[in-house]
Amino acid sequence: FVEVVTPSTRVSKLVDNLWLARSAPVVLRLSDQRVFVGGGTDRDGHPVAGLEWRDADATLRLAAPFDGSSELEPRFDRAFAALPGGAVLAVGGCEDRAPFAEEDCTRSCAHGCPPRPNATTAARYDASWISPEGTIFPLDLPLDAGQPVLLAGSDGRPWLIAREGEQRQLYRFEPWQGRFTRVPLDLDLDAAQSTPDRKSVV
């Protein structure tokens, strides 16, 4: 279900259900004021592939192609960020499968295992530009993004923390180029991740 909370009046109300039932989804307010819903898991703990959009106050489900019929490959822990013009950036996540013999998935994934390599590019993880009309455009992502951290940028260029080799690095998405570029800034991200009482701010 969808619950709308009005902080000024401290009133909440249940509104129309989501098209697809899911736990722990990612919900974004888009620049055109619509509400985007993606990710999450179903009642059996499998990742949900469908994407959906709601109107500006989240009370109405929008019809096709915004009704869950637009789908990405199902992934655990996929990250999303809003882009200018009502678009969305989707990055990474792990595949819903058991480890192969002698495979250790825990280095890259909190749930599932790294996706199988793409037959053409050999890249394991994927990224997509989702247009305001719900069309999905694949992007190149030659990074280890099993547990990506994706933060919206005030200039329309989201920040991404992902692995390159053994190190976690900081990247920015360049919308006009459709790719991620590394930011030459050492934030000591691996040390920050391994030390619980340290806080990193991007």
Side-chain angles (χ1 to χ4, degrees), residues 49-82:
L51 309 172
E52 50 192 294
W53 287 254
R54 303 183 71 88
D55 68 351
D57 62 5
T59 58
L60 293 177
R61 299 180 294 180
L62 301 181
F66 307 113
D67 58 0
S69 56
S70 287
E71 292 188 349
L72 295 168
E73 288 294 323
R75 297 284 186 260
F76 289 113
D77 303 315
R78 189 189 298 277
F80 297 90

Side-chain angles (χ1 to χ4, degrees), residues 12 40 43 64 66 73 81 91 97 118 140 148 154 161 177 181 185:
S12 66
R43 62 168 33 177
F66 307 113
E73 288 294 323
V91 175
R97 67 173 178 85
N118 182 289
D140 185 35
S154 60
I161 298 173
Q177 301 171 17
T181 58
L185 183 65

Side-chain angles (χ1 to χ4, degrees), residues 72-125:
L72 295 168
E73 288 294 323
R75 297 284 186 260
F76 289 113
D77 303 315
R78 189 189 298 277
F80 297 90
L83 293 173
V88 176
L89 178 65
V91 175
C94 287
E95 193 171 25
D96 186 10
R97 67 173 178 85
F100 299 131
E102 300 182 3
E103 180 184 24
D104 179 12
C105 298
T106 59
R107 175 188 169 278
S108 297
C109 302
H111 310 92
C113 287
R116 287 171 269 255
N118 182 289
T120 304
T121 66
R124 284 185 174 270
Y125 298 94

Side-chain angles (χ1 to χ4, degrees), residues 31 81-85 89 129 150-160 171-176 181 183 202:
S31 63
L83 293 173
L89 178 65
W129 175 301
L150 187 61
L151 304 171
S154 60
D155 59 356
R157 300 160 59 218
W159 299 87
L160 171 67
Y171 302 85
R172 294 209 80 177
F173 179 65
E174 304 294 344
W176 295 108
T181 58
V183 177
V202 176

Side-chain angles (χ1 to χ4, degrees), residues 16 86 90 92 115 117 127 148 183 201:
D16 206 13
V183 177
V201 178

Side-chain angles (χ1 to χ4, degrees), residues 5-87:
V5 180
T6 306
S8 60
T9 60
R10 298 185 181 182
V11 172
S12 66
K13 64 177 179 178
L14 297 179
V15 298
D16 206 13
N17 289 349
L18 293 171
W19 286 102
L20 302 172
R22 60 181 92 207
S23 296
V26 175
V27 181
L28 302 176
R29 167 74 68 184
L30 304 182
S31 63
D32 60 8
Q33 299 306 305
R34 292 178 302 167
V35 176
F36 169 86
V37 183
T41 55
D42 64 19
R43 62 168 33 177
D44 298 316
H46 302 296
V48 176
L51 309 172
E52 50 192 294
W53 287 254
R54 303 183 71 88
D55 68 351
D57 62 5
T59 58
L60 293 177
R61 299 180 294 180
L62 301 181
F66 307 113
D67 58 0
S69 56
S70 287
E71 292 188 349
L72 295 168
E73 288 294 323
R75 297 284 186 260
F76 289 113
D77 303 315
R78 189 189 298 277
F80 297 90
L83 293 173

